[in-house]
């Protein structure tokens, strides 16, 4: 079975870091994710508020480096929890259990309050499958450029060779 989800949005509040009885770190946070389409009348886009939880080092990382309004990319699994409220009613909650967390924008663009900075993915991440410790996490690494290809303004025709169009040489 496959249960994998990736969301990108802004934190609605500062992450809340707690510890279990055995000292394991767990961070809870909510991500506001805009839908790709508008409402039924084609008007304003709606926003979903998705609860997330990150355990151990990933939770500590989220708590340390992300604040309210930060753009965040969360990759993990969707988990449904059943619980009973104070009045005895059975309830269900859905949340994303984060395996990996990424910066959704570069540090430079977040400081200038740019909505979606030039680099949508800052390039720095942390998760259970990532090495974090001392020098392996480089916050000053240059963010990758995700620009498109631009063809040269004019290319001389002499740079191209004519190909023979002989379908008889094809193996099929």
């Amino acid at each position: 079975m496959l249960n994998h989800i990736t969301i990108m949005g802004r934190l609605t509040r500062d992450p809340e870091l707690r510890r279990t009885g055995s000292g394991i770190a767990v961070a809870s946070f909510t991500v506001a994710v805009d839908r790709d389409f508008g409402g039924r009348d084609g008007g304003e886009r709606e926003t979903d508020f998705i609860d997330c939880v990150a355990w151990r080092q990933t939770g500590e990382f989220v708590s340390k480096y992300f604040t309210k309004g930060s753009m965040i990319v969360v990759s993990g699994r969707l988990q449904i929890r059943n619980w009973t409220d104070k009045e005895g009613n059975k309830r269900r909650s859905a949340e994303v259990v984060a395996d990996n967390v990424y910066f959704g924008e570069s540090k430079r663009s977040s400081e200038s309050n740019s909505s979606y900075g030039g680099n949508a993915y800052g390039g720095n991440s942390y998760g259970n499958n990532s090495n974090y410790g001392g020098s392996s996490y480089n916050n000053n690494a240059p963010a990758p450029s995700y620009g498109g290809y631009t063809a040269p303004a004019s290319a001389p025709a002499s740079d191209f060779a004519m190909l023979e169009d002989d379908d008889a040489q094809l193996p099929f």
Side-chain angles (χ1 to χ4, degrees), residues 3 9 13 39-40 49 70 90 107 110 116 126-127 131 140 164 166 170 172:
N3 181 358
R13 57 183 164 80
R40 291 181 183 168
F49 297 91
S70 299
K90 292 187 178 187
K107 187 175 182 181
S110 66
Y116 292 95
Y126 185 73
N131 294 325
N140 295 325
E164 290 184 30
D166 186 10
L170 295 175
F172 51 88

Side-chain angles (χ1 to χ4, degrees), residues 17 25-29 52-56 58-60 62 96-98 101:
L17 181 67
V26 57
S28 301
F29 53 98
C52 299
V53 62
W55 291 87
R56 296 177 177 79
T58 307
E60 291 175 354
V62 169
V96 174
V97 179
V101 172

